[in-house]
């Protein structure tokens, strides 16, 4: 059923990673060697004291890993970015978490980074003896407990131990877990495949992380269940099954007096909702085959919790979180989300021992499916909430089974659930969803409770405010501040102490109304049966530690695949992508207190409107990288990253081309329209459904042409490469909308060849990216036809980098007219050659271009001390040469700067203009006519959009100068800036 897709990870490309990453490691080692060579050339090696020593830096060190890498380079040692069993001599660390320490092998040596510093100071290789950490652990295998005392003088400061006991922390953690939906929790546990999986540089990090992430489990199963219930509603055979099961139940029922006495007052109006929830779900599942354990306090944690039995129990306080604890543990005050250390202390206070059990994800899936199916066998009036919880509208079923008291049915249902799952659950019943939910709390554990008609007020008055769904301490605090002489605790107090107006003033309009209603037991909601998510996202705020943009892009690829999977699972596509980043605050320590956590960060986000509704991982990846390049941050300071797709559309509904109301949006009309379009500007107009095939056809010309206008209309921080969003369209002022509609009706003609330009660009770029990362050794292992394709792509890129693009096309001199590659119309060279400029250039001009090129390249070769072979130019050198303006080099950065410049000044200052002109000429000399072209077009558009009249004249002079230079370089050609 839905939600079980996680096991298919093996065939989604992970297989490639083993081989690919091995190659990547080799590449990094080679890179290190190369860096060493450069270093030797630049600064001269300072000593050779670390000759033969290879280190792998793990966890936080002082100085940080980068610095240690440099020191190893300068003193003849080797630094490994990835752990390699055969090559690493020493782990260098200042502290390791417990989960890692446990995995150390007898021969693993963990050495404090001070050793490196001291060796350099004394200019000799010192013995590691006094610097070794966790010696006891590494020398005596089989020892399960660590004697922490003997670890002196090295102090352990890890996520699991040595954190001072604090009640505040517990409260924070409770609040945090209940509100957080991002993947922030620790993942280290006893079964890590390898120590180095623990940061996002590792190719298996995300996979391992998600497998171990309970938040991922909880959010993905909630989605899966919603989709599952929704899909089941479409199945006729399931309705037949329900009829059968109901009939069987009716025959089985032995009615009692209670049943005959129960009846709904008004069958048309009165509702009976049930809220049903498994008891201490994770614990119940983990113990479903050992029910005898259930009488003792049990918690589900990543940590086994063994260390508190040592004599140092007060010294070490586990910050491992408890995801679920059973009711035997709850009687001591232990709660879900509490730190393990705190829970252990509470147990100790009662001379009890807390049993810590591991996560049984497979079991959670099985039990959750059985739980849902048992209920769904009787009704489809279900709203899935999470893996262990749902709302059911029982009204229709109770009418069908009458005379029957609702609790009679519920006890039979719960018995069946217990039988199928071997786990207990509790249920609450009431006339609305809120009261039903509160009734479940009352019923727990393993019980049921019905708030019958007429008893609602009595019931709600007794309820604690903090038990109301979504209400936390901060809200209670706000209320309390207004009534310092009362301790506000119950709904009754809210009813008596605050008017609606007061609540709105204190809490804001919306929240004030909600609290007013909730405290009176008012809830007008009905089951939400259509799953309409607002966004599908993935956030990772744990283990994000990159040194290079390359490492980050590899991780983005994984995130994009995961997001694609989530979209598929939710049966959604989206048209907007948001990238959020969390960057370490400049005043925050490099490594926060929580191991591999975020610490204090500055957060920012950017969004992009996409061409169409997508779930394609490649598009997500490329657009994310584009957006990332627009942020200004130091890669090493990145602590969290999140991708989110919004403006969603159900893929199952899309097939029919209708939105949820059954009418088409303007966007859809555009999307499905084919060759002879009649453009509808009436959003409500019903148009014949498109045939299946029309859905897959190319987007019509008109849609492409809206691009420029759509761009103009977007907010500053969004860039719109695609067509107009219907939502945006509807919100436009009437005049602009009319103008736009007019434009859509009579678009100026555009050459056919422009149709799929952007799509091709994406494919081209994605391939370029791939070839960038392919190592020679990997290449050699590929099948011959793929090798050939990659070799061709590389060749093509060499041409691209040699010959500058002009307005999206390239001028490539033909040296040999009989060259077979030119004869073949379908090959890539011809595509590149297919430019309007080329057609108008005479033979003579071509020759002059050829001549000019030869001269320039020779000139460069003469002046440059390094032999300039295109393929050998190293990346950082290329970047160094790249012309810049005020330190900006990337297209987006320069564009941002231009926009600000044009926006903020009514008239351009001559010095600035000169600067910009020189920069453009530098770019032309750098063979980047494409960028010049884009920047000029962009500037002109900005000037026009912002109606900066005084700019026109001065800018035209600049353009003329640039065009002149361009003409000199390209045989008299001019850039098309229309
Ligand atoms: N969960 C978690 N972290 C939390 C809260 C819950 O990982 N802070 C997980 C473990 C729970 C499951 O979600 O077993 C279901 O959450 P519930 O809130 O339903 O709690 P339980 O089922 O554990 O207990 P209860 O009997 O109170 O429902
Ligand atoms: Ca539960
Ligand atoms: Ca629950």
């Amino acid at each position: 059923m839905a939600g079980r897709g996680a096991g298919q990870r093996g065939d989604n490309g992970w297989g490639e990673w083993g081989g690919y990453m091995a190659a990547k490691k080799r590449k990094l080692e080679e890179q290190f060697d190369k860096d060493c060579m450069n270093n030797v050339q630049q600064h001269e090696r300072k000593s050779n004291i670390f000759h033969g020593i290879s280190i792998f830096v793990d966890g936080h060190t002082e100085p940080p890993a980068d610095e240690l890498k440099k020191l190893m380079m300068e003193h003849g040692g080797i630094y490994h970015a990835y752990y390699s069993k055969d090559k690493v001599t020493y782990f260098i660390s200042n502290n390791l978490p417990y989960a890692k320490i446990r995995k150390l092998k007898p021969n693993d040596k963990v050495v404090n980074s001070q050793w490196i510093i001291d060796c350099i100071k004394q200019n000799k290789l010192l013995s590691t003896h006094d610097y070794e950490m966790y010696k006891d652990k590494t020398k005596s295998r089989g020892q399960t407990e660590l004697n922490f005392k003997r670890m002196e003088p090295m102090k352990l400061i890890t996520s699991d131990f040595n954190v001072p006991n604090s009640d505040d922390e517990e409260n924070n953690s409770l609040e945090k877990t209940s509100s957080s939906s991002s993947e922030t929790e620790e993942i280290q546990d006893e079964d890590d495949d390898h120590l180095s999986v623990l940061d996002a540089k590792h190719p298996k990090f995300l996979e391992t992380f998600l497998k171990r992430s309970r938040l991922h489990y909880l959010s993905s199963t909630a989605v899966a269940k919603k989709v599952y219930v929704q899909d089941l509603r479409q199945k006729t055979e399931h309705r037949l099954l329900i009829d059968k099961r109901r009939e069987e139940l009716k025959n089985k029922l032995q009615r009692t007096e209670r049943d005959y006495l129960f009846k709904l007052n008004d069958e048309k109006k009165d509702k009976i909702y049930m809220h049903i929830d498994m008891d201490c779900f994770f614990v119940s599942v983990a113990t479903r085959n050992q029910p005898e354990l259930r009488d003792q306090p049990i918690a589900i944690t990543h940590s086994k919790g063994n260390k508190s039995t040592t004599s140092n129990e007060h010294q070490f306080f586990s910050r491992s979180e408890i995801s679920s604890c059973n009711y035997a543990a709850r009687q001591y005050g232990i709660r879900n989300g509490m730190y393990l250390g705190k829970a252990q202390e509470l147990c100790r206070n009662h001379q009890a021992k807390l049993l810590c059990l591991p996560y049984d994800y497979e079991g959670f899936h099985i039990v959750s499916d059985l739980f849902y199916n048992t209920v769904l066998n009787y009704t489809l009036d279900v709203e899935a909430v999470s893996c262990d919880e749902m709302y059911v509208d029982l009204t229709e079923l109770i009418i069908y089974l009458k005379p029957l008291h609702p609790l009679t049915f519920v006890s039979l249902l719960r018995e069946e659930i217990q039988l199928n799952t071997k786990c207990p659950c509790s249920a609450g019943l009431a006339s609305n969803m809120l009261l039903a939910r509160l009734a479940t709390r009352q019923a727990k554990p393993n019980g049921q409770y019905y708030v019958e008609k007429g008893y609602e007020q009595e019931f709600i008055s007794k309820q604690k405010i903090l038990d109301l769904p979504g209400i936390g301490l901060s809200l209670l605090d706000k209320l309390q501040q207004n009534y310092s002489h009362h301790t506000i605790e119950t709904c009754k107090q809210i009813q008596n102490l605050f008017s609606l107006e007061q609540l709105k003033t204190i809490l804001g309009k919306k929240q004030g109304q909600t609290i007013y209603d909730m405290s009176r037991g008012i809830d007008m909601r009905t089951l939400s049966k259509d799953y309409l998510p607002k966004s599908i996202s993935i956030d990772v705020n744990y283990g994000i530690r990159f040194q290079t943009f390359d490492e980050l892009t590899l991780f983005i690829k994984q995130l994009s695949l995961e997001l694609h999977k989530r979209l598929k699972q939710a049966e959604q596509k989206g048209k907007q992508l948001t990238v959020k980043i969390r960057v370490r605050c400049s005043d925050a320590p490099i490594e926060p207190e929580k191991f591999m956590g975020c610490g204090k960060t500055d957060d920012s986000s950017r969004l992009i409107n996409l061409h169409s509704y997508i779930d394609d991982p490649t598009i997500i990846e490329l657009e994310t990288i584009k957006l990332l390049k627009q942020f200004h941050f130091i890669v090493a300071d990145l602590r969290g990253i999140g991708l989110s797709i919004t403006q969603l559309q159900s893929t199952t509904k899309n097939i029919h081309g209708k939105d949820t109301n059954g009418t088409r949006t303007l966007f859809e009309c555009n999307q499905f329209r084919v060759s002879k379009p009649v453009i509808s500007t009436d959003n409500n107009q019903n148009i014949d459904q498109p045939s299946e095939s029309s859905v897959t056809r190319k987007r019509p010309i008109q849609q492409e042409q809206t691009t420029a206008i759509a761009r103009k209309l977007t907010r500053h921080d969004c860039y719109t490469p695609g067509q107009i969003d219907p939502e945006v369209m509807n919100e436009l002022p009437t005049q602009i909308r009319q103008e736009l509609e007019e434009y859509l009706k009579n678009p100026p003609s555009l050459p056919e060849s422009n149709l799929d330009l952007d799509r091709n660009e994406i494919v081209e770029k994605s391939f370029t990216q791939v070839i960038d990362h392919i190592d020679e050794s990997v290449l050699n292992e590929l099948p011959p036809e793929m090798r050939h394709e990659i070799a061709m792509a590389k060749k093509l890129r060499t041409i691209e980098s040699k010959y500058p693009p002009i307005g999206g096309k390239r001028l490539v001199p033909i040296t040999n007219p009989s060259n077979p590659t030119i004869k073949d119309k379908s090959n890539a060279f011809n595509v590149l050659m297919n430019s309007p400029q080329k057609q108008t250039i005479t033979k003579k001009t071509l020759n002059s271009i050829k001549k000019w090129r030869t001269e320039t390249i020779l000139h460069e070769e003469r002046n440059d001390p390094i032999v300039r072979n295109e393929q050998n130019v190293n990346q950082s050198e290329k970047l160094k040469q790249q012309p810049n303006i005020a330190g900006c080099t990337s297209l987006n950065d320069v564009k941002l700067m231009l926009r600000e410049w044009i926006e903020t000044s009514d008239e351009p200052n001559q010095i600035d203009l000169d600067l910009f002109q020189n920069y453009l000429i530098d770019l032309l000399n750098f063979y980047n006519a494409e960028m010049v072209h884009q920047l000029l077009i962009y500037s002109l558009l900005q000037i026009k959009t912002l109606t900066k009249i005084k700019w026109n004249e001065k800018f035209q002079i600049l353009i003329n100068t640039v065009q002149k230079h361009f003409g000199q370089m390209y045989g008299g050609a001019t850039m098309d800036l229309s």
Side-chain angles (χ1 to χ4, degrees):
M1 73 163 269
R4 306 296 303 281
Q8 295 161 3
R9 210 163 258 134
D11 46 10
N12 70 3
W14 278 114
E16 298 158 22
W17 284 104
Y20 172 73
M21 281 316 293
K24 177 86 188 169
K25 275 189 199 180
R26 276 199 298 278
K27 195 172 165 184
L28 283 171
E29 279 160 21
E30 281 159 19
Q31 183 66 42
F32 180 83
D33 289 345
K34 234 188 246 166
D35 288 352
C36 283
M37 292 282 287
N38 291 342
N39 199 47
V40 170
Q41 279 167 6
Q42 281 166 24
H43 310 288
E44 248 182 56
R45 178 163 289 168
K46 293 181 180 160
S47 82
N48 218 13
I49 45 179
F50 296 121
H51 178 72
I53 305 282
S54 300
I55 64 162
F56 171 73
V57 177
D58 204 356
H60 173 54
T61 53
E62 195 52 57
D66 255 7
E67 182 65 17
L68 292 175
K69 179 178 170 182
K70 195 171 139 252
L71 293 175
M72 288 310 274
M73 267 184 208
E74 289 175 349
H75 297 274
I78 295 175
Y79 170 96
H80 288 278
Y82 288 98
Y83 174 75
S84 162
K85 196 169 69 204
D86 313 321
K87 294 180 181 165
V88 168
T89 332
Y90 301 127
F91 283 93
I92 303 292
S93 181
N94 287 22
N95 60 70
L96 280 178
Y98 181 61
K100 286 189 176 190
I101 301 166
R102 285 179 66 88
K103 283 186 181 46
L104 293 172
K105 308 264 165 14
N107 294 328
D108 288 341
K109 266 192 183 174
V110 184
V111 176
N112 190 281
S113 58
Q114 191 58 36
W115 171 70
I116 296 181
I117 308 297
D118 291 352
C119 287
I120 295 170
K121 246 188 224 162
Q122 299 185 31
N123 199 22
K124 63 175 182 190
L125 193 68
L126 301 171
S127 154
T128 54
H129 185 267
D130 295 337
Y131 301 87
E132 279 175 44
M133 300 164 69
Y134 321 118
K135 277 191 216 167
D136 296 328
K137 170 64 193 164
T138 55
K139 295 224 165 83
S140 56
R141 282 199 95 168
Q143 178 187 340
T144 50
E145 290 301 324
L146 295 178
N147 186 342
F148 291 100
K149 267 217 163 129
R150 280 208 248 143
M151 272 181 231
E152 297 291 335
M154 301 303 168
K155 250 189 157 184
L156 264 175
I157 315 161
T158 74
S159 60
D160 268 9
F161 310 113
N162 224 15
V163 175
N165 188 344
S166 146
D167 284 339
D168 283 354
E169 276 161 4
E170 178 217 315
N171 290 335
N172 289 342
S173 105
L174 277 168
E175 288 240 308
K176 181 189 74 209
T177 48
S178 58
S179 65
S180 165
S181 64
S182 81
E183 275 97 344
T184 55
E185 88 259 52
E186 71 212 278
I187 56 159
Q188 69 261 47
D189 71 15
E190 322 295 324
D191 307 315
D192 274 343
D193 301 320
H194 206 278
L195 303 176
S196 53
V197 176
L198 288 169
D199 86 42
K201 280 195 286 297
H202 196 283
K204 292 225 165 186
F205 170 82
L206 192 63
E207 183 190 4
T208 315
F209 177 76
L210 295 178
K211 220 161 66 187
R212 307 262 162 84
S213 161
R214 69 182 210 268
L215 297 179
H216 167 64
Y217 167 80
L218 293 172
S219 61
S220 63
T221 42
V223 171
K225 288 292 179 283
K226 284 170 198 282
V227 172
Y228 178 64
V229 174
Q230 187 172 269
D231 287 353
L232 216 54
R233 262 190 221 112
Q234 316 300 324
K235 295 200 168 123
T236 343
E237 63 272 24
H238 191 79
R239 292 192 180 271
L240 297 174
L241 174 83
I242 288 181
D243 290 345
K244 193 167 154 256
R245 295 306 298 265
R246 284 185 177 187
E247 202 54 42
E248 285 168 9
L249 180 71
K250 219 171 179 175
N251 296 333
K252 198 168 79 180
L253 279 172
Q254 296 196 344
R255 293 188 170 89
T256 64
E257 199 179 325
R258 179 177 78 164
D259 298 315
Y260 287 100
L261 286 175
F262 179 82
K263 75 173 181 7
L264 289 167
N265 292 338
D266 180 348
E267 286 193 2
K268 289 219 170 76
K269 272 205 214 142
D270 283 357
K271 285 265 177 203
I272 305 176
Y273 285 99
M274 171 175 75
H275 173 257
I276 187 160
D277 182 274
M278 305 293 290
D279 295 336
C280 50
F281 182 54
F282 283 10
V283 177
S284 300
V285 173
T287 55
R288 72 193 189 287
N289 296 317
Q290 296 158 283
E292 69 282 0
L293 293 179
R294 286 178 179 169
D295 291 337
Q296 59 177 308
I298 304 174
I300 303 296
T301 59
H302 279 301
S303 160
K304 280 186 181 146
N306 291 333
K307 73 270 178 197
S308 74
T309 54
T310 68
S311 55
N312 299 310
E313 57 199 24
H314 294 290
Q315 194 182 341
F316 302 106
F317 179 90
S318 173
R319 279 187 117 191
S320 206
E321 258 173 38
I322 287 175
S323 61
S324 179
C325 59
N326 66 349
Y327 283 78
R330 289 183 204 191
Q331 66 177 326
Y332 302 133
I334 298 170
R335 296 285 176 266
N336 288 0
M338 192 179 265
Y339 285 137
L340 174 61
K342 173 77 184 163
Q344 286 172 323
E345 190 185 290
L346 287 169
C347 267
R348 266 197 309 273
N349 294 346
H350 294 87
Q351 280 80 48
K353 188 174 183 305
L354 186 67
L355 175 63
C356 294
L357 295 178
Y359 289 77
D360 173 10
Y361 286 108
E362 185 58 23
F364 302 156
H365 276 302
I366 294 169
V367 171
S368 176
D369 289 359
L370 288 168
F371 167 61
Y372 265 82
N373 284 336
T374 310
V375 179
L376 288 164
N377 277 345
Y378 293 105
T379 177
L380 283 164
D381 288 337
V382 167
E383 179 181 328
V385 176
S386 69
C387 57
D388 81 327
E389 181 179 345
M390 68 182 103
Y391 285 103
V392 186
D393 182 347
L394 284 181
T395 321
E396 187 256 339
L397 181 60
I398 294 302
I399 293 171
Y400 171 86
L401 293 172
K402 75 181 172 186
L404 193 77
H405 192 282
L407 286 178
T408 308
F409 168 72
V410 173
S411 51
L412 286 171
L413 180 72
R414 287 183 41 248
E415 265 171 37
E416 207 177 317
I417 291 169
Q418 170 74 51
L419 201 74
N420 293 344
T421 63
K422 298 192 217 154
C423 296
C425 68
S426 300
L429 276 76
S431 55
N432 70 37
M433 290 163 73
L434 169 71
L435 292 171
R437 187 177 164 174
L438 293 169
T440 307
R441 278 193 83 90
Q442 192 93 8
K444 274 180 180 286
N446 200 12
Q448 52 195 42
Y449 189 91
Y450 183 18
V451 185
E452 290 197 48
K453 218 167 165 63
Y455 293 90
E456 285 105 336
Q457 267 316 307
E458 190 187 321
F459 176 78
I460 193 73
S461 296
K462 292 185 302 207
Q463 298 302 310
K464 292 205 170 118
I465 300 163
L466 284 177
D467 287 344
L468 295 173
I471 305 305
L473 278 172
S474 63
L475 186 136
L476 190 61
D477 270 357
K478 283 187 201 162
L479 295 175
Q480 192 69 71
Q481 275 165 21
N482 285 271
Y483 269 94
S484 46
H485 47 289
H486 284 288
T487 303
I488 303 174
E489 216 180 347
T490 62
C491 287
K492 174 111 195 140
Q493 286 172 301
I494 299 210
Q495 289 181 23
N496 293 342
L497 297 173
F498 300 92
S499 70
L500 176 62
E501 283 320 304
Q502 280 173 314
L503 287 172
K504 283 182 174 175
T505 314
I506 301 167
L507 304 168
K509 247 184 180 170
K510 210 171 152 200
Q511 210 170 29
Q513 182 74 55
T514 309
I515 295 295
Y516 181 86
D517 289 342
M518 284 212 281
S519 61
R520 283 163 179 77
I522 300 169
D523 180 9
M524 307 304 282
R525 284 177 302 166
T526 53
L527 290 190
S528 127
K529 290 186 181 174
D530 275 327
Y531 172 54
L532 295 169
K534 288 212 162 58
S535 71
I536 304 281
S537 54
I538 173 148
D539 290 86
V540 179
N541 298 316
Y542 175 86
I544 301 293
R545 298 291 184 278
F546 301 110
Q547 296 301 328
T548 65
F549 199 75
D550 259 11
E551 289 167 356
L552 173 58
T553 50
L554 275 176
F555 187 62
I556 297 300
K557 192 186 189 74
Q558 299 173 41
L559 281 182
S560 307
L561 280 168
E562 179 57 33
L563 189 54
H564 158 75
K565 230 164 69 188
R566 290 182 184 193
L567 283 160
K568 278 258 172 236
Q569 186 188 39
E571 298 177 346
Q572 302 287 324
K573 287 188 177 189
K575 214 164 70 65
Q576 204 167 56
L577 167 75
T578 305
V579 176
K580 287 176 287 179
I581 57 164
R582 302 183 68 177
V583 179
R584 182 179 70 85
C585 283
S586 50
D587 58 343
I590 303 270
E591 283 306 327
E593 195 187 347
K594 186 181 162 99
F595 178 72
M596 282 291 161
C598 285
K600 198 171 139 207
T601 54
D602 288 323
D603 305 343
S604 41
S605 66
R606 268 174 189 269
L607 70 83
I608 185 169
N609 291 312
L610 305 161
H611 282 290
S612 53
Y613 288 90
I614 60 109
D615 61 6
D616 183 321
T618 312
I619 297 179
I620 298 172
E621 178 193 344
L622 292 169
E623 296 296 344
T624 301
I625 291 168
K626 257 195 220 166
L627 284 177
L628 276 174
K629 286 181 176 167
Q630 293 177 19
F631 290 105
H632 298 277
F633 67 96
I634 296 166
V635 175
D637 285 343
L638 192 69
R639 291 291 174 268
I641 180 153
L643 312 185
S644 149
I645 299 277
T646 41
Q647 292 199 10
L648 298 172
Q649 189 180 59
S650 158
T651 47
T652 41
K653 284 185 185 164
N654 198 17
I655 295 165
H656 312 291
K658 286 185 175 180
D659 69 8
T660 41
N661 301 319
T663 54
R664 290 244 207 86
T665 60
L666 178 68
F667 165 73
E668 285 161 341
C669 295
N670 274 342
Q671 190 171 44
F672 298 130
R673 197 158 26 82
V674 278
S675 54
K676 255 185 103 192
V678 180
I679 302 169
S680 162
T681 50
D682 177 359
N683 284 356
N684 297 320
Q685 193 177 330
N686 239 331
I687 293 174
D688 286 347
Q689 286 196 5
S691 66
E692 288 263 331
S693 62
S694 69
V695 176
T696 56
R697 291 206 198 167
K698 277 184 181 175
R699 281 172 288 141
I701 298 170
Q702 285 83 351
Q703 208 177 306
E704 288 292 338
Q705 286 157 351
T706 60
T707 307
I709 293 187
R711 272 195 194 132
K712 237 198 298 189
L713 299 168
T714 49
R715 288 209 328 264
H716 270 345
D717 57 344
C718 18
Y719 151 66
T720 311
Q723 67 288 7
I724 301 170
D725 183 341
E727 275 176 40
V728 175
M729 186 76 158
N730 292 336
E731 278 166 31
L732 291 174
T734 327
Q735 201 196 338
I736 299 179
R737 202 171 61 215
Q738 279 167 358
E739 205 180 294
L740 199 56
E741 284 163 355
E742 197 50 44
Y743 186 92
L744 282 168
K745 275 187 206 158
N746 300 304
S749 56
L750 252 182
E752 269 286 322
S753 59
N754 272 6
L755 260 182
D756 269 336
L757 198 73
D758 286 341
R759 202 176 307 160
N760 288 337
E761 192 183 304
I762 285 173
V763 174
E764 186 189 326
K765 278 192 183 159
S766 104
F767 197 56
T768 312
Q769 262 210 331
V770 173
I771 60 173
D772 263 341
H773 290 101
I774 295 181
D775 234 67
E776 276 314 312
S777 53
V778 178
L779 197 63
N780 292 339
E781 281 156 32
L782 292 173
E785 59 279 12
M786 270 185 84
R787 271 206 316 260
H788 177 70
E789 209 177 320
I790 290 166
M792 285 307 291
K794 280 192 171 174
K795 216 178 222 172
L796 198 60
R797 236 202 4 201
T798 313
I799 290 170
E800 285 174 39
S801 57
K802 268 192 181 164
Y803 304 109
I806 305 151
K809 306 288 175 196
R810 269 168 238 281
L811 293 168
V812 184
I814 307 164
T815 46
N816 177 7
S818 63
N819 187 334
T821 53
I822 290 164
K823 273 188 189 160
D824 179 3
K825 283 199 167 144
S826 64
N827 75 28
F829 287 84
N830 258 331
V831 176
L832 295 177
M833 288 295 290
N834 185 21
S835 80
Q837 285 94 333
K838 185 215 129 200
Q839 286 153 18
T840 55
I841 289 168
T842 59
K843 234 181 181 172
K844 202 174 158 235
T845 339
L846 273 176
N847 282 340
S848 73
I849 291 174
K850 193 181 151 203
K851 197 172 158 229
W852 165 80
R853 283 199 193 292
T854 319
E855 280 176 5
T856 311
I857 293 165
L858 282 176
H859 176 74
E860 270 191 19
E861 278 173 4
R862 262 185 268 121
N863 288 326
D864 201 322
I866 305 164
V867 178
R868 193 158 289 283
N869 174 341
E870 276 293 326
Q871 272 154 353
N872 285 346
V873 180
N874 112 12
Q875 201 61 32
S876 61
E877 247 193 272
K878 264 194 176 169
L879 281 176
K880 263 186 247 158
Q881 298 171 352
Q882 180 100 279
N884 76 77
I885 178 159
C888 302
T889 49
S890 81
L891 181 64
N892 281 320
D893 287 353
V894 180
K895 274 185 176 176
L896 281 174
M897 202 192 67
L898 278 178
R899 195 176 63 195
E900 210 173 298
W901 180 33
I902 297 168
E903 249 179 12
T904 53
S905 28
D906 290 329
E907 201 174 345
N909 165 324
Q910 193 55 46
I911 299 171
D912 291 341
L913 274 172
D914 289 345
L915 252 171
F916 186 48
Q917 182 178 297
N918 289 343
Y919 167 66
L920 294 176
I921 290 172
D922 281 351
L923 276 178
L924 285 177
N925 292 338
F926 194 68
Y927 313 136
N928 203 345
E930 169 79 319
M931 188 153 164
V932 174
H933 182 253
Q934 290 206 33
L935 289 174
L936 286 177
I937 293 271
Y938 182 77
S939 313
L940 285 170
L941 197 73
Q942 291 293 316
I943 293 170
K944 206 171 156 196
T945 316
L946 301 166
T947 49
K948 299 276 182 178
I949 303 155
K950 289 186 180 162
W951 277 72
N952 284 336
E953 200 184 313
K954 288 191 173 179
F955 215 80
Q956 201 49 54
I957 299 171
L958 176 146
I959 289 175
N960 291 345
T961 316
V962 175
Q963 287 278 28
K964 210 167 135 197
H965 195 88
F966 180 84
Q968 281 166 2
M969 287 177 76
Y970 299 107
T974 49
M975 265 183 279
D976 182 6
L977 299 175
S978 55

